[in-house]
PDB file of all heavy atoms in Angstrom:
ATOM      1  N   GLU A 146      -7.379   4.324 -18.922  1.00  0.00           N
ATOM      2  CA  GLU A 146      -8.767   4.763 -19.124  1.00  0.00           C
ATOM      3  C   GLU A 146      -9.683   3.986 -18.180  1.00  0.00           C
ATOM      4  O   GLU A 146      -9.357   2.843 -17.899  1.00  0.00           O
ATOM      5  CB  GLU A 146      -9.199   4.586 -20.498  1.00  0.00           C
ATOM      6  CG  GLU A 146      -8.499   5.581 -21.458  1.00  0.00           C
ATOM      7  CD  GLU A 146      -8.980   5.452 -22.887  1.00  0.00           C
ATOM      8  OE1 GLU A 146     -10.235   5.638 -23.112  1.00  0.00           O
ATOM      9  OE2 GLU A 146      -8.148   5.138 -23.818  1.00  0.00           O
ATOM     10  N   THR A 147     -10.743   4.501 -17.833  1.00  0.00           N
ATOM     11  CA  THR A 147     -11.798   3.893 -17.023  1.00  0.00           C
ATOM     12  C   THR A 147     -13.183   4.531 -17.377  1.00  0.00           C
ATOM     13  O   THR A 147     -13.244   5.727 -17.785  1.00  0.00           O
ATOM     14  CB  THR A 147     -11.520   3.998 -15.470  1.00  0.00           C
ATOM     15  OG1 THR A 147     -12.252   3.059 -14.781  1.00  0.00           O
ATOM     16  CG2 THR A 147     -11.677   5.430 -14.970  1.00  0.00           C
ATOM     17  N   PRO A 148     -14.195   3.783 -17.192  1.00  0.00           N
ATOM     18  CA  PRO A 148     -15.518   4.412 -17.575  1.00  0.00           C
ATOM     19  C   PRO A 148     -15.822   5.627 -16.689  1.00  0.00           C
ATOM     20  O   PRO A 148     -15.573   5.597 -15.456  1.00  0.00           O
ATOM     21  CB  PRO A 148     -16.490   3.223 -17.219  1.00  0.00           C
ATOM     22  CG  PRO A 148     -15.695   1.972 -17.458  1.00  0.00           C
ATOM     23  CD  PRO A 148     -14.321   2.359 -16.907  1.00  0.00           C
ATOM     24  N   ALA A 149     -16.346   6.687 -17.346  1.00  0.00           N
ATOM     25  CA  ALA A 149     -16.576   7.923 -16.605  1.00  0.00           C
ATOM     26  C   ALA A 149     -17.618   7.706 -15.537  1.00  0.00           C
ATOM     27  O   ALA A 149     -17.540   8.394 -14.473  1.00  0.00           O
ATOM     28  CB  ALA A 149     -17.030   9.006 -17.605  1.00  0.00           C
ATOM     29  N   ASP A 150     -18.610   6.889 -15.731  1.00  0.00           N
ATOM     30  CA  ASP A 150     -19.619   6.668 -14.681  1.00  0.00           C
ATOM     31  C   ASP A 150     -19.170   5.900 -13.495  1.00  0.00           C
ATOM     32  O   ASP A 150     -19.802   5.774 -12.512  1.00  0.00           O
ATOM     33  CB  ASP A 150     -20.845   5.988 -15.341  1.00  0.00           C
ATOM     34  CG  ASP A 150     -21.568   6.880 -16.209  1.00  0.00           C
ATOM     35  OD1 ASP A 150     -21.429   8.140 -16.167  1.00  0.00           O
ATOM     36  OD2 ASP A 150     -22.399   6.382 -17.073  1.00  0.00           O
ATOM     37  N   VAL A 155     -12.538   6.289 -10.893  1.00  0.00           N
ATOM     38  CA  VAL A 155     -11.955   7.650 -11.216  1.00  0.00           C
ATOM     39  C   VAL A 155     -11.273   8.226 -10.024  1.00  0.00           C
ATOM     40  O   VAL A 155     -10.165   8.671 -10.035  1.00  0.00           O
ATOM     41  CB  VAL A 155     -12.986   8.567 -11.883  1.00  0.00           C
ATOM     42  CG1 VAL A 155     -12.401   9.967 -12.029  1.00  0.00           C
ATOM     43  CG2 VAL A 155     -13.534   8.000 -13.160  1.00  0.00           C
ATOM     44  N   ILE A 165      -6.974  13.760 -14.853  1.00  0.00           N
ATOM     45  CA  ILE A 165      -7.847  13.537 -16.003  1.00  0.00           C
ATOM     46  C   ILE A 165      -7.314  14.412 -17.202  1.00  0.00           C
ATOM     47  O   ILE A 165      -7.145  15.592 -17.042  1.00  0.00           O
ATOM     48  CB  ILE A 165      -9.295  13.895 -15.728  1.00  0.00           C
ATOM     49  CG1 ILE A 165      -9.830  13.001 -14.596  1.00  0.00           C
ATOM     50  CG2 ILE A 165     -10.157  13.851 -16.887  1.00  0.00           C
ATOM     51  CD1 ILE A 165     -11.235  13.287 -14.040  1.00  0.00           C
ATOM     52  N   LEU A 166      -7.131  13.748 -18.290  1.00  0.00           N
ATOM     53  CA  LEU A 166      -6.678  14.437 -19.501  1.00  0.00           C
ATOM     54  C   LEU A 166      -7.914  14.726 -20.453  1.00  0.00           C
ATOM     55  O   LEU A 166      -7.972  15.747 -21.114  1.00  0.00           O
ATOM     56  CB  LEU A 166      -5.722  13.504 -20.307  1.00  0.00           C
ATOM     57  CG  LEU A 166      -4.362  13.365 -19.729  1.00  0.00           C
ATOM     58  CD1 LEU A 166      -3.536  12.506 -20.624  1.00  0.00           C
ATOM     59  CD2 LEU A 166      -3.632  14.726 -19.476  1.00  0.00           C
ATOM     60  N   ALA A 167      -8.841  13.653 -20.556  1.00  0.00           N
ATOM     61  CA  ALA A 167      -9.918  13.908 -21.516  1.00  0.00           C
ATOM     62  C   ALA A 167     -11.062  12.966 -21.183  1.00  0.00           C
ATOM     63  O   ALA A 167     -10.912  11.960 -20.436  1.00  0.00           O
ATOM     64  CB  ALA A 167      -9.443  13.485 -22.909  1.00  0.00           C
ATOM     65  N   LEU A 168     -12.201  13.288 -21.689  1.00  0.00           N
ATOM     66  CA  LEU A 168     -13.423  12.519 -21.571  1.00  0.00           C
ATOM     67  C   LEU A 168     -13.825  12.216 -23.041  1.00  0.00           C
ATOM     68  O   LEU A 168     -13.969  13.139 -23.873  1.00  0.00           O
ATOM     69  CB  LEU A 168     -14.514  13.274 -20.881  1.00  0.00           C
ATOM     70  CG  LEU A 168     -15.817  12.615 -20.575  1.00  0.00           C
ATOM     71  CD1 LEU A 168     -15.605  11.503 -19.640  1.00  0.00           C
ATOM     72  CD2 LEU A 168     -16.819  13.571 -20.063  1.00  0.00           C
ATOM     73  N   ARG A 169     -13.987  10.940 -23.330  1.00  0.00           N
ATOM     74  CA  ARG A 169     -14.318  10.622 -24.746  1.00  0.00           C
ATOM     75  C   ARG A 169     -15.208   9.366 -24.805  1.00  0.00           C
ATOM     76  O   ARG A 169     -15.177   8.476 -23.885  1.00  0.00           O
ATOM     77  CB  ARG A 169     -13.087  10.474 -25.538  1.00  0.00           C
ATOM     78  CG  ARG A 169     -12.070   9.412 -25.068  1.00  0.00           C
ATOM     79  CD  ARG A 169     -10.886   9.450 -26.014  1.00  0.00           C
ATOM     80  NE  ARG A 169      -9.823   8.744 -25.394  1.00  0.00           N
ATOM     81  CZ  ARG A 169      -8.508   9.066 -25.461  1.00  0.00           C
ATOM     82  NH1 ARG A 169      -8.181  10.123 -26.125  1.00  0.00           N
ATOM     83  NH2 ARG A 169      -7.556   8.463 -24.887  1.00  0.00           N
ATOM     84  N   PRO A 170     -15.886   9.190 -25.996  1.00  0.00           N
ATOM     85  CA  PRO A 170     -16.676   7.970 -26.161  1.00  0.00           C
ATOM     86  C   PRO A 170     -15.775   6.770 -26.127  1.00  0.00           C
ATOM     87  O   PRO A 170     -14.677   6.756 -26.647  1.00  0.00           O
ATOM     88  CB  PRO A 170     -17.356   8.123 -27.532  1.00  0.00           C
ATOM     89  CG  PRO A 170     -17.209   9.571 -27.877  1.00  0.00           C
ATOM     90  CD  PRO A 170     -15.982  10.109 -27.078  1.00  0.00           C
ATOM     91  N   ASP A 171     -16.301   5.695 -25.474  1.00  0.00           N
ATOM     92  CA  ASP A 171     -15.557   4.439 -25.329  1.00  0.00           C
ATOM     93  C   ASP A 171     -15.384   3.756 -26.645  1.00  0.00           C
ATOM     94  O   ASP A 171     -14.290   3.237 -26.998  1.00  0.00           O
ATOM     95  CB  ASP A 171     -16.245   3.510 -24.344  1.00  0.00           C
ATOM     96  CG  ASP A 171     -15.478   2.245 -24.039  1.00  0.00           C
ATOM     97  OD1 ASP A 171     -14.873   1.713 -24.963  1.00  0.00           O
ATOM     98  OD2 ASP A 171     -15.506   1.814 -22.810  1.00  0.00           O
ATOM     99  N   PHE A 179     -20.804   5.124 -24.355  1.00  0.00           N
ATOM    100  CA  PHE A 179     -20.328   5.047 -22.948  1.00  0.00           C
ATOM    101  C   PHE A 179     -19.057   5.960 -22.968  1.00  0.00           C
ATOM    102  O   PHE A 179     -18.204   5.804 -23.798  1.00  0.00           O
ATOM    103  CB  PHE A 179     -19.914   3.574 -22.667  1.00  0.00           C
ATOM    104  CG  PHE A 179     -19.900   3.223 -21.223  1.00  0.00           C
ATOM    105  CD1 PHE A 179     -21.038   3.334 -20.449  1.00  0.00           C
ATOM    106  CD2 PHE A 179     -18.779   2.733 -20.590  1.00  0.00           C
ATOM    107  CE1 PHE A 179     -21.032   2.954 -19.131  1.00  0.00           C
ATOM    108  CE2 PHE A 179     -18.744   2.420 -19.275  1.00  0.00           C
ATOM    109  CZ  PHE A 179     -19.887   2.523 -18.557  1.00  0.00           C
ATOM    110  N   MET A 180     -19.073   6.818 -21.955  1.00  0.00           N
ATOM    111  CA  MET A 180     -17.904   7.831 -21.921  1.00  0.00           C
ATOM    112  C   MET A 180     -16.772   7.157 -21.154  1.00  0.00           C
ATOM    113  O   MET A 180     -17.031   6.505 -20.126  1.00  0.00           O
ATOM    114  CB  MET A 180     -18.330   9.042 -21.335  1.00  0.00           C
ATOM    115  CG  MET A 180     -19.373   9.856 -22.159  1.00  0.00           C
ATOM    116  SD  MET A 180     -18.882  10.140 -23.869  1.00  0.00           S
ATOM    117  CE  MET A 180     -17.713  11.482 -23.595  1.00  0.00           C
ATOM    118  N   SER A 181     -15.570   7.420 -21.593  1.00  0.00           N
ATOM    119  CA  SER A 181     -14.360   6.954 -20.900  1.00  0.00           C
ATOM    120  C   SER A 181     -13.473   8.091 -20.438  1.00  0.00           C
ATOM    121  O   SER A 181     -13.382   9.099 -21.151  1.00  0.00           O
ATOM    122  CB  SER A 181     -13.642   6.100 -21.901  1.00  0.00           C
ATOM    123  OG  SER A 181     -12.486   5.546 -21.329  1.00  0.00           O
ATOM    124  N   VAL A 182     -12.968   8.009 -19.247  1.00  0.00           N
ATOM    125  CA  VAL A 182     -12.059   9.057 -18.748  1.00  0.00           C
ATOM    126  C   VAL A 182     -10.578   8.559 -19.024  1.00  0.00           C
ATOM    127  O   VAL A 182     -10.260   7.487 -18.655  1.00  0.00           O
ATOM    128  CB  VAL A 182     -12.262   9.214 -17.214  1.00  0.00           C
ATOM    129  CG1 VAL A 182     -11.230  10.212 -16.638  1.00  0.00           C
ATOM    130  CG2 VAL A 182     -13.656   9.695 -16.864  1.00  0.00           C
ATOM    131  N   HIS A 183      -9.899   9.461 -19.690  1.00  0.00           N
ATOM    132  CA  HIS A 183      -8.463   9.166 -19.987  1.00  0.00           C
ATOM    133  C   HIS A 183      -7.625   9.886 -18.939  1.00  0.00           C
ATOM    134  O   HIS A 183      -7.766  11.097 -18.776  1.00  0.00           O
ATOM    135  CB  HIS A 183      -8.188   9.699 -21.465  1.00  0.00           C
ATOM    136  CG  HIS A 183      -6.888   9.343 -21.866  1.00  0.00           C
ATOM    137  ND1 HIS A 183      -6.603   8.049 -22.479  1.00  0.00           N
ATOM    138  CD2 HIS A 183      -5.700   9.896 -21.890  1.00  0.00           C
ATOM    139  CE1 HIS A 183      -5.314   8.044 -22.782  1.00  0.00           C
ATOM    140  NE2 HIS A 183      -4.732   9.190 -22.512  1.00  0.00           N
ATOM    141  N   LEU A 184      -6.823   9.093 -18.187  1.00  0.00           N
ATOM    142  CA  LEU A 184      -6.006   9.656 -17.120  1.00  0.00           C
ATOM    143  C   LEU A 184      -4.516   9.442 -17.387  1.00  0.00           C
ATOM    144  O   LEU A 184      -4.107   8.493 -18.114  1.00  0.00           O
ATOM    145  CB  LEU A 184      -6.410   9.004 -15.791  1.00  0.00           C
ATOM    146  CG  LEU A 184      -7.839   9.222 -15.356  1.00  0.00           C
ATOM    147  CD1 LEU A 184      -8.548   7.881 -15.426  1.00  0.00           C
ATOM    148  CD2 LEU A 184      -7.863   9.771 -13.977  1.00  0.00           C
TER     149      LEU A 184
END
Side-chain angles (χ1 to χ4, degrees):
E146 291 183 56
T147 194
D150 289 341
V155 173
I165 296 173
L166 291 180
L168 183 67
R169 57 181 164 219
D171 186 321
F179 205 59
M180 296 304 285
S181 181
V182 176
H183 188 82
L184 299 111

